[in-house]
Amino acid sequence: MSRLLLNCDIGESFGSWTMGLDAEVMPFIDCANVACGFHAGDPSIMRKTVSLALSHGVQIGAHPAYQDLVGFGRRSMAYSAQELQDILHYQIGALDGICKAQGGRVSYVKPHGAMYNDMMANPAQLRAVIQAVAAYDRSLPLMLMATRDNSAAQQIGDEYGVTLLFEAFADRAYDSAGKLVSRQLPGAVHHEPEKIIEQALTIARGDNLTANDGSVLRLHANTLCVHGDNASSVAAVQRIREALNQQDAQ
């Protein structure tokens, strides 16, 4: 069993508006997905978040989004393939510059919100995102959702020489295709800490999950997304970290 990396969306404050408990969650994660200013974050927030990540030895990932501060990047927007690549380069480059000024670097890319969901639903958009990453720096992995069958995405990644990091979620229900159940449906989000930890360990072991229709589902994932937006979430992240460390030691 390869080590399952914990990643968290972070640096999503803006100006005097604060979101997330970044300082509390940072000690327990491996990878920080740092907002790049289009859905959240600003130059000062980005600098502070990068500094915090570097102080904890956490990998820094660019977390680019559609240009949608009001909608927090969760609304689909119409971009051509070239426009999509332009906004990706703009955001990755901005964060990379802030990292380099502090002796760090961007280590991977994970699109945010609607951009993430749209690329998982549209192979042409996924290709545009992978092509953008390859054009910026082919050594940067792209983080995307692990599903029942990752082969189509893997084929595009291989075509451009971009490493893919497949991501799973401990606190979300899955459908039979290995995609997340819509938040608009009951049971889409797990709230019980024990259930969240058990799902994290199940994914880490590569064991079967149960989809929302009762079918058996196995996800092949490299990384697990955790959330740190309230005290309960931070406590759950800490327990997931401890459980994974204990399992790795066995």
Side-chain angles (χ1 to χ4, degrees):
M1 182 189 70
S2 60
R3 184 168 181 267
L4 192 68
L5 301 175
L6 294 186
N7 79 80
C8 185
D9 299 347
I10 217 157
E12 292 183 321
S13 300
F14 182 77
S16 60
W17 177 71
T18 301
M19 180 174 182
L21 300 174
D22 293 359
E24 287 81 356
V25 77
M26 193 71 80
F28 306 112
I29 62 175
D30 302 291
C31 305
N33 317 318
V34 180
C36 300
F38 272 30
H39 77 283
D42 58 41
S44 294
I45 296 294
M46 291 162 70
R47 174 184 55 78
K48 293 173 185 176
T49 307
V50 165
S51 177
L52 182 64
L54 291 174
S55 70
H56 286 279
V58 172
Q59 292 185 55
I60 298 165
H63 198 39
Y66 295 146
Q67 196 165 14
D68 182 25
L69 273 175
V70 173
F72 197 65
R74 289 179 174 164
R75 301 181 292 189
S76 291
M77 304 179 76
Y79 286 89
S80 69
Q82 185 60 63
E83 288 171 333
L84 187 61
Q85 292 179 42
D86 291 344
I87 66 170
L88 284 165
H89 290 160
Y90 185 96
Q91 293 176 82
I92 297 168
L95 182 64
D96 203 23
I98 289 173
C99 287
K100 288 179 178 178
Q102 299 190 57
R105 64 182 293 269
V106 167
S107 296
Y108 63 94
V109 177
K110 176 189 170 181
H112 166 82
M115 183 189 290
Y116 183 98
N117 293 331
D118 291 347
M119 78 178 187
M120 294 307 303
N122 184 345
Q125 180 150 335
L126 177 60
R127 177 178 292 275
V129 171
I130 290 176
Q131 190 174 9
V133 173
Y136 184 85
D137 182 347
R138 202 179 302 274
S139 72
L140 292 180
L142 173 69
M143 195 177 289
L144 71 170
M145 190 186 300
T147 63
R148 181 180 290 276
D149 183 1
N150 300 328
S151 60
Q154 188 64 63
Q155 184 175 353
I156 302 174
D158 291 345
E159 182 179 339
Y160 289 95
V162 172
T163 299
L164 303 182
L165 297 176
F166 291 101
E167 173 184 45
F169 296 80
D171 62 349
R172 294 294 302 276
Y174 283 89
D175 65 18
S176 59
K179 295 185 178 180
L180 299 179
V181 173
S182 170
R183 288 180 179 270
Q184 298 178 359
L185 298 177
V189 180
H190 304 322
H191 297 287
E192 306 86 349
E194 297 304 327
K195 187 170 186 178
I196 293 170
I197 293 167
E198 180 54 37
Q199 183 156 308
L201 292 175
T202 298
I203 293 168
R205 292 191 299 263
D207 291 343
N208 292 333
L209 296 172
T210 301
N212 66 335
D213 65 351
S215 63
V216 172
L217 172 68
R218 180 171 294 184
L219 299 176
H220 299 284
N222 310 106
T223 183
L224 187 75
C225 184
V226 294
H227 296 102
D229 51 359
N230 59 58
S232 297
S233 296
V234 174
V237 172
Q238 183 175 359
R239 291 182 64 188
I240 290 171
R241 172 87 280 161
E242 292 168 352
L244 291 178
N245 288 346
Q246 188 174 47
Q247 182 168 286
D248 290 341
Q250 293 176 354

